[in-house]
Amino acid sequence: MIQLHTPKASRNQETGRLSFMGSVSPAGVRFRDRGGEGDGTSRRVPGTFSVVPAPMMQTVRRCLLVTSATLASLALTAPAPLAAPSPSPSPAASGSPTASGSPSASPSVTPPAGMSSVGGTRLGQAGTQVAIAGGAPVLPKDLTARSWIVADAESGDVLAAHNAHWRLPPASTMKMLFADTVLPRFPKATVHKVAPADLAGMGSGSSLVGIKEGESYTVHDLWLGVFLRSGNDAVHVLSAMNGGVTETVRQMNEHAEELQALDTHVVSPDGYDAPRQVSSAYDLTLFARSGLQKADFREYCSTVTAKFPGETRKNKKGKTTRGTFEIQNTNRLLSGDYDISQYPGIAGVKNGNTTNAGATFTGVAERNGKVLLVTVMNPEKTDHNEVYKETAALLDWGFQAAGKVTPVGELVAPKNTAQASAQPGANPSSSEDSGQAGGAGDVSAKPVAGAVTEDGSGGMWIALAVAGGLLVLLAGGGYLVNRRWPLPDLVRRRR
């Protein structure tokens, strides 16, 4: 596979796949594992879990839920509502938001002393954050990435992190946010004929899938180009369909804010190096977790190889024909390479590599009933496939450490999750495949403020009576929201 070395090129040369994910790879295609010895990079072993059971709630999580429910009930009786504190963004520093709220031109070579505290105060601290208890393995040696994070995809617990909120150039891992934002807007069977304007504005040296002007492609084809080949041409065509690059960037920034990914500032939807375009390991993990709620997102990011439409040509007899060519996923933990094998249980999600960002990668994998998300940004070590090797090492550690370490933070839910879960049968992820009823049902659909009496007493006694009944329901609702984030079918083992 050709690696581009043009300055500012989007050199996305990474690959992998979760064993429980579906795939759109052509039937009958087989891939051999290539090289590697030892746990985590050895040849694939058969999976043993057809369905990953929802994890048991830890005692501390139960306490937090009950505490939250208690506080919520007390708030109902207060004379004035208590506003929840908003997430604190990184301070104005190099690589952090400026006074105007926009990222600075480029990140510093060292993490700022104070970073965002979204997900927990420890995640805003520089350096490695981990709380190893008895029997837990030590972190892998020789980790050189500027930033990384290991999180439980289902519970949202952050098991360990290193400069999790450091704002860095994301490269094509930004395409996860692009897909999570735009993918639901067009049915996959929609056909689009590419106009010259659709491909305008791509950066020099961009990674391409090979889209041609004047040819027609389905939305399904275009998303395969985005996920497998990290094609900036496919991103620009989809952006054109979505109202243009400027509108798509606006939507992506809006969606990032909704996900509470406050380290992120989008300038280019494809992740191509651009001034002031930044994200963080924490935010990229939020994007992956949100995207994996969508069946199509899971399908595309776990696909190893596919057929892509070629050019329309006329043969010697004057008959018009259009062939196809094969494209392979550039996620090396999914497809393997000469110096690294497919990672057991891998299911995506996205890789990137640019001049400013270096190598970046977010991966999701399942093993023995655990689903982990790992993001690695810009390893200093320049060995071939280093970003995948460090990701594999962190995944191995995470699977061994699960249940043996105290979480140092959490992956927060989107802002609208609580509101959506309060509606009857609502789906907090806005995905078509939730498969569960909405958390607390209609318990909080109607405001208790309706109990306020005409004399202004606030209906305290009515509120207290209602609060007693709400206490258990709110705690139960919180539990359901936790269990369905991500959705149960995310952990369906690939057969």
Side-chain angles (χ1 to χ4, degrees), residues 95 103 107 147 163-171 173-174 176-177 256 261-266 276-287 375 377:
S147 177
N163 301 327
H165 281 291
W166 191 1
R167 305 182 76 175
L168 297 166
T173 47
M174 185 68 83
M176 293 187 294
L177 176 60
L262 305 184
D263 301 323
T264 297
H265 180 72
V266 184
R276 301 168 60 216
Q277 177 157 270
V278 291
S279 190
S280 67
Y282 184 88
D283 284 10
L284 293 176
T285 307
L286 289 182
F287 301 153
T375 295
M377 299 186 76

Side-chain angles (χ1 to χ4, degrees), residues 117-191:
S117 61
V118 172
T121 56
R122 290 194 65 172
L123 298 182
Q125 299 173 12
T128 301
Q129 306 300 321
V130 65
I132 296 177
V138 297
L139 284 166
K141 297 180 180 179
D142 301 325
L143 293 174
T144 67
R146 285 188 168 191
S147 177
W148 54 259
I149 190 170
V150 182
D152 186 311
E154 192 166 35
S155 70
D157 290 337
V158 176
L159 306 184
H162 180 75
N163 301 327
H165 281 291
W166 191 1
R167 305 182 76 175
L168 297 166
S172 283
T173 47
M174 185 68 83
K175 290 183 173 76
M176 293 187 294
L177 176 60
F178 170 74
D180 194 38
T181 303
V182 178
L183 196 152
R185 299 176 184 273
F186 304 102
K188 61 171 62 178
T190 301
V191 177

Side-chain angles (χ1 to χ4, degrees), residues 316-336:
K316 295 180 180 180
K317 297 181 180 180
K319 184 178 179 180
T320 299
T321 61
R322 189 180 187 186
T324 62
F325 58 92
E326 186 176 275
I327 57 175
Q328 187 182 54
N329 201 311
T330 54
N331 171 354
R332 298 302 183 205
L333 289 187
L334 188 62
S335 65

Side-chain angles (χ1 to χ4, degrees), residues 225 245 386 388:
V245 168
E386 181 63 23
Y388 303 109

Side-chain angles (χ1 to χ4, degrees), residues 36-97:
E37 293 291 335
D39 189 22
T41 55
S42 59
R43 299 183 184 279
R44 180 179 297 276
V45 294
T48 57
F49 291 86
S50 57
V51 177
V52 178
M56 296 296 293
M57 299 297 291
Q58 298 176 356
T59 302
V60 64
R61 187 172 296 279
R62 290 195 186 98
C63 294
L64 289 173
L65 286 172
V66 172
T67 302
S68 297
T70 304
L71 291 174
S73 65
L74 291 175
L76 294 174
T77 67
L82 299 176
S86 58
S88 58
S90 302
S94 183
S96 305

Side-chain angles (χ1 to χ4, degrees), residues 171-347:
S172 283
T173 47
M174 185 68 83
K175 290 183 173 76
M176 293 187 294
L177 176 60
F178 170 74
D180 194 38
T181 303
V182 178
L183 196 152
R185 299 176 184 273
F186 304 102
K188 61 171 62 178
T190 301
V191 177
H192 178 76
K193 186 174 182 179
V194 177
D198 296 349
L199 300 174
M202 286 190 298
S204 175
S206 288
S207 53
L208 306 173
V209 67
I211 291 174
K212 302 297 181 183
E213 297 176 4
E215 295 285 4
S216 295
Y217 301 87
T218 64
V219 166
H220 178 72
D221 294 330
L222 295 172
W223 283 117
L224 287 172
V226 170
F227 279 93
L228 273 68
R229 292 298 304 165
S230 201
N232 289 4
D233 47 357
V235 170
H236 277 254
V237 172
L238 286 163
S239 295
M241 295 173 62
N242 191 49
V245 168
T246 300
E247 172 60 17
T248 299
V249 166
R250 185 196 66 78
Q251 293 174 10
M252 290 172 66
N253 280 313
E254 186 178 78
H255 188 46
E257 184 177 354
E258 171 61 31
L259 295 176
Q260 302 199 64
L262 305 184
D263 301 323
T264 297
H265 180 72
V266 184
V267 177
S268 174
D270 51 23
Y272 187 89
D273 286 338
R276 301 168 60 216
Q277 177 157 270
V278 291
S279 190
S280 67
Y282 184 88
D283 284 10
L284 293 176
T285 307
L286 289 182
F287 301 153
R289 194 182 188 209
S290 179
L292 288 166
Q293 310 310 305
K294 300 173 176 62
D296 287 347
F297 188 105
R298 297 194 298 273
E299 175 188 1
Y300 294 129
C301 79
S302 63
T303 298
V304 180
T305 187
K307 296 293 184 180
F308 196 81
E311 287 189 79
T312 301
R313 301 178 183 276
K314 287 187 178 181
N315 59 22
K316 295 180 180 180
K317 297 181 180 180
K319 184 178 179 180
T320 299
T321 61
R322 189 180 187 186
T324 62
F325 58 92
E326 186 176 275
I327 57 175
Q328 187 182 54
N329 201 311
T330 54
N331 171 354
R332 298 302 183 205
L333 289 187
L334 188 62
S335 65
D337 205 356
Y338 70 84
D339 60 345
I340 193 168
S341 301
Q342 283 185 335
Y343 188 86
I346 195 72

